[in-house]
Amino acid sequence: MKNLKLLIMLFSISFVAISQEAKDEGFMYKNEIGVDIIDIIDGTLQVSYERALGKNFSFNIGVGYKTEEGLIRLSGIDRPRLKTGDITYHGIKIIPEVRYYISKTQSERLDGFYLGAYLKHNAFQSDFDGIYTDSQDIDYDFLFDTKLKVTSVGFMVGYKLPIGKRFTIDFLIAGPGVVWHDYSMKNKKDLPDEFYDDLNEALENYFESLNIEFRLSQLNERIDFILPSFRYGVSLGYSF
């Protein structure tokens, strides 16, 4: 949370500084609203608002809601003593960005190639449930109320292509960065102690390629780790 507050403060300072320096460049269209096309595939509706703050700078804020639907799904855990269904999640995301347009193709608005920096925060919820069989062959239904907080920060490069007097297609080509994962899991049912040993082993195998160690227990049901991140996207925009 300290990292998130610091990043938000830095973005706020940058936004105020750019706004104070911004001058009216005579743009016909200083505002743009957009819809992320790629995110729709994953069951997310994300809209954005961009405001020109001068000749080359802009500030963009995106807000989205992820449903449990979508073509991209995480398969569940399937082990002899531990089985779950597909892992689904839902929640909100917010993405502030600062952009610098290297060159414009039109004088009415900001377009063309741009560089920028972003902060992305996701707050999701998920029901992690399944069946566990202990060493005495006794079956237990388990259910965890899971909260997922994922915060990333990084740089980006993209190209905004005008396709008409007011419409654009915004290609976010690359957005490398770093992401903080913070997962909390609240147990809703009584479970034997050995369940957590088997769950930790299952999760370590599930995320084997990430080399993450898990230490879940009845007293500490939380996972946090840091990984590299990468953003990309395609948005349809309307200028006004």
Side-chain angles (χ1 to χ4, degrees), residues 78-123:
D78 187 6
R79 296 171 64 85
R81 296 175 59 181
L82 183 63
K83 299 182 184 297
T84 72
D86 290 344
I87 300 174
T88 61
Y89 53 94
H90 64 279
I92 62 172
K93 63 172 65 176
I94 181 170
I95 312 171
E97 301 173 353
V98 177
R99 296 184 176 189
Y100 176 80
Y101 286 83
I102 301 173
S103 61
K104 304 194 301 291
T105 66
Q106 298 183 12
S107 60
E108 293 87 356
R109 60 189 171 203
L110 294 174
D111 59 10
F113 282 103
Y114 61 84
L115 303 174
Y118 69 88
L119 170 68
K120 181 179 180 181
H121 180 68
N122 301 322

Side-chain angles (χ1 to χ4, degrees), residues 170-182:
D170 188 350
F171 298 94
L172 175 55
I173 301 172
V178 61
V179 56
W180 290 267
H181 293 258
D182 186 352

